[in-house]
Every structure is written in structure tokens, then in C-alpha cells.
Amino acid sequence: MKILFIGGAGFIGSNLVKALDKEKYQVTVVEPENAFTGRLKGESVNLLFGSLNDVEFIKGVIERQGIQIVVHLVSTLIPGSSYEDYKREYKNVIFPTIELMELCAQKGIRFVYFSSGGTVYGNRNDVLPFEESDPMKPISYYGWSKQMMENSIQFMHRTAGLDYLILRPSNPYGHGQNLYGKQGLVAVAIGKLLKNEPIEVWGDGSAVRDYIYVDDLAKIFVKLIEGDVHNMTLNIGSGRGYSVNDVLAFLKIVSGKDLKIVYQNPRPVDVSNMVLDTTMLRNAISYEITPFMDGVRLFYEEAKGYRV
């Protein structure tokens, strides 16, 4: 099976690539020339440098390599991104991807898109887990961009027969994640702890999120591909929520250190409660989830030995 990852050198993509049996899969990864590709060190992959907005380049890779599955992981936005950021995303990511979908539909290539279970649903008053059939009501440009991509995929499926799989992961965390970035509470908190810096919390720490260890996400992805699961939209998460304060309490336990926490005013782009219903996923495949405390401990112990 010949599979192309667009954005496969990032945190999630690199873990997906590593989880694939290279005896079964011929893997090609496309990244911009200035991208950090160290996470793929030692992996048996065909690494090419090019931009997604160079659609002819991507089409050429697909045709020359005889690609059968395209996995799309590219996004330049985060929940706090601005309208100007969104405009660049539309020009450089969303619109070129729509062109790419047309090619995939024509050639019968499966298109796997990593959306965001943490942002596409938006806010609502109750605390029930979000199901895939719930309406998408994002409150950030990041979430809106994901909704636009999902809508484009569904349109291309209806009108051109695109074979697709939309995956909505919750909040992945674990090895390979940037400890000093702006996204990913567990990773950022560990990075601050290792540097003995205060951890910023937006709001009072009561916001609830669903977390999934990145190894579990990668194993689930492989099972979905090998099980030929397609033309579905699936949540991927633990099905259980933890507040920001819970996460920090777990980190204090596993590290044995006191945390310096600074509470800031809440941001309007952050949802208050996000837990994913995973019934459809469990009906599609069987899998196990790493308990959150165990995952945080694994990540912390490994993070003490490296810097990303």
C-alpha cells in the first residue's frame, strides 16, 4: 500500500508514520523545505520537500509514486489565530486541498483528513459528550477552517465520489510534542515545569478536555486503515474529560514538584467543555486507551531527557 502524508513530520504525523509496518506500506512524506523533520529520523520513508499550495507538485508526487491513500495533516492555525491568519490558511491550505480532493476523486485515491474534535463542535450548555452527528458550531478561526475542510470533503464525496475518512481527534499528547510551543496543555505545562517557569492558565482551570495518548491515536489510525474503514466521520478520544486543574494536579503527582500557576482572564476562543463520544469508533474497531495518569507519567519521564 502506497501512502502519502502531507504534513507527516509534525507531532501527530510522525507518530502515525512510525506506527505503520514498513513491510506493508511504502510511505512518502511531503513537508516544506524549512520544516523540522527530526522526528522522522531513522524511519524508512521517502521524504520530499514542497509546499501544499504547489498543487502541481503534489499531483506529480501522487502520480509518480502511485499513491493509494493521501493523509492530510496540514494546518497553520491554532485556536487563538486571527482573521489574517485564517485568510492565509484559506489561500495556502484550504483552497489547494480542494483541488487535491478533485484529483483523489478522479483516481480513486482515499483521502484521510485529520480534523479537530476539540474545536469543530464549539460550545453548548450541557456537559454531554459530543457525537459525530452533533452540529458543528466552531468559535475560533481554527475550528472554522476545519469545518470548511470537512464540508468540502463531503461535497466532493457527494458530487465526485471521493473516498474519504474524516478523523476528529480530541487532544493528543505525548512524545514528540513541542514542550515550548503555544498549543497542547500537557506538553506546555511539562515544558514550563522543566524550565521552572509559571504555567499560564486561561480562566479558572475548570475547562474540561478529552485527552488521548499519541501512541493510542497512532494505533487507532493504523487499525482504521487496515480495516478499510472509509466514508465515515469518527471521533477519536478517551470518552472521558479532565479539567485543566485535574491535568496540573496529575502532573504535580508524577513529577513530585510544586507547580507555579498563573490564572489569566479566559479567552473567547476557548470552549468550556469538550468530551467526545466514541461509540462509532468502538463499533468500527477494537482498541485500548492508555489511562491518562499513566500517559502523563510516560510523557514527563521521557521529556526530562530531551528538548524539542
Side-chain angles (χ1 to χ4, degrees), residues 61 112 127 135 157 209 252 276 295:
V61 171
V112 180
V127 295
H157 172 67
R209 295 290 183 273
K252 180 178 180 179
L276 301 182

Side-chain angles (χ1 to χ4, degrees), residues 128-148:
L128 295 175
F130 284 90
E131 300 177 2
E132 291 87 347
S133 58
D134 287 332
M136 291 186 284
K137 297 181 179 180
I139 59 174
S140 67
Y141 287 112
Y142 174 71
W144 187 20
S145 72
K146 295 293 188 180
Q147 180 181 7
M148 288 193 69

Side-chain angles (χ1 to χ4, degrees), residues 207-227:
V208 172
R209 295 290 183 273
D210 187 334
Y211 296 90
I212 184 167
Y213 191 52
V214 72
D215 282 358
D216 299 338
L217 174 60
K219 291 173 184 176
I220 289 168
F221 165 77
V222 173
K223 283 196 170 189
L224 291 170
I225 295 299
E226 295 188 343

Side-chain angles (χ1 to χ4, degrees), residues 159-196:
T159 61
L162 177 67
D163 186 3
Y164 73 92
L165 181 62
I166 296 172
L167 303 178
R168 294 174 177 170
S170 54
N171 289 266
Y173 69 97
H175 51 83
Q177 194 170 17
N178 188 356
L179 302 179
Y180 309 115
K182 297 179 179 180
Q183 193 173 16
L185 171 65
V186 180
V188 171
I190 289 175
K192 294 291 187 181
L193 180 60
L194 294 177
K195 295 178 72 173
N196 198 32

